[in-house]
Amino acid sequence: MKTRNDYNETRNQAAAPTRPPVAAQPEQAPPKASVPREEGNKLIVGPNIKLKGSEITDCEILVVEGRVEASMNSRDIRIAEGGVFSGKADIDVAEVRGLFEGELTARKQLVIYASGRVTGKIRYGALTIEDGGSISGDVAGIAKDAQNAKTEPVAEPEKALPSLAEMPEIQHLRASSVLGRTPLGGKRPGN
């Protein structure tokens, strides 16, 4: 049973001139801001899985939820909370929520989340550490000039300045400068 409104809408639709269909405009994707790329060869080592080998090759993204003991040269490594990577990794981006032990070179960025721990020889392009995350060992940044491949230490240990008693040349310099002057600061005649 049609109501009066249904009848009017049907009549108005029939009376309306037909319009050509509008071509759908492709939606523009929002710009990607340092979002890790998901495409590429991906290896996921699930929880309770132990992978032990000499080298992982042709893997662009390694997701570690279990334990991995190996070396690798890749694009991304993501160590999940509870995951452990032990060995050597030379990669672009490292995200650590679990534990990394060994030698890590993160050419572009190293991100350590609150539950993450990184220990060993660590080199990074950029470093981000959330509250609670930790990093220890031989830690240095990679110099901006990749041709020189130099590293920049994270922090130099502060050295205490020696006291004057430990520097006899300073005592001698101070004593001679005081003895050669008059009380008003001028030089004595003959000096």
Side-chain angles (χ1 to χ4, degrees), residues 30-185:
K32 293 182 180 180
S34 348
V35 175
R37 298 183 311 197
E38 292 295 328
E39 70 271 358
N41 299 332
K42 187 176 195 176
L43 173 63
I44 300 173
V45 178
N48 302 319
I49 303 284
K50 294 179 184 173
L51 176 64
K52 188 174 184 178
S54 61
E55 184 176 9
I56 298 173
T57 59
D58 299 327
C59 174
E60 294 180 43
I61 302 168
L62 175 65
V63 178
V64 180
E65 297 171 348
R67 181 173 184 85
V68 175
E69 295 177 19
S71 65
M72 69 178 294
N73 186 341
S74 180
R75 189 181 74 211
D76 289 355
I77 185 171
R78 301 173 192 159
I79 303 173
E81 197 168 332
V84 177
F85 185 97
S86 180
K88 182 177 180 178
D90 189 13
I91 51 165
D92 289 338
V93 178
E95 296 179 3
V96 182
R97 288 179 170 86
L99 173 64
F100 181 95
E101 301 171 321
E103 190 173 327
L104 172 63
T105 301
R107 293 179 292 266
K108 292 182 181 176
Q109 185 175 24
L110 170 58
V111 180
I112 304 171
Y113 292 91
S115 58
R117 290 188 343 220
V118 177
T119 63
K121 182 177 179 182
I122 315 303
R123 300 293 180 260
Y124 59 88
L127 177 65
T128 304
I129 304 174
E130 279 188 349
D131 272 349
S134 71
I135 187 169
S136 63
D138 179 11
V139 180
I142 299 172
K144 302 292 183 218
D145 184 8
Q147 294 173 353
N148 294 338
K150 294 181 181 178
T151 58
E152 301 169 2
V154 173
E156 290 282 330
E158 290 188 27
K159 297 176 183 174
L161 293 175
S163 68
L164 290 177
E166 295 173 344
M167 299 182 342
E169 66 276 359
I170 298 294
Q171 287 180 335
H172 173 72
L173 179 66
R174 194 174 71 183
S176 65
S177 65
V178 171
L179 294 176
R181 305 241 176 229
T182 64
L184 296 176

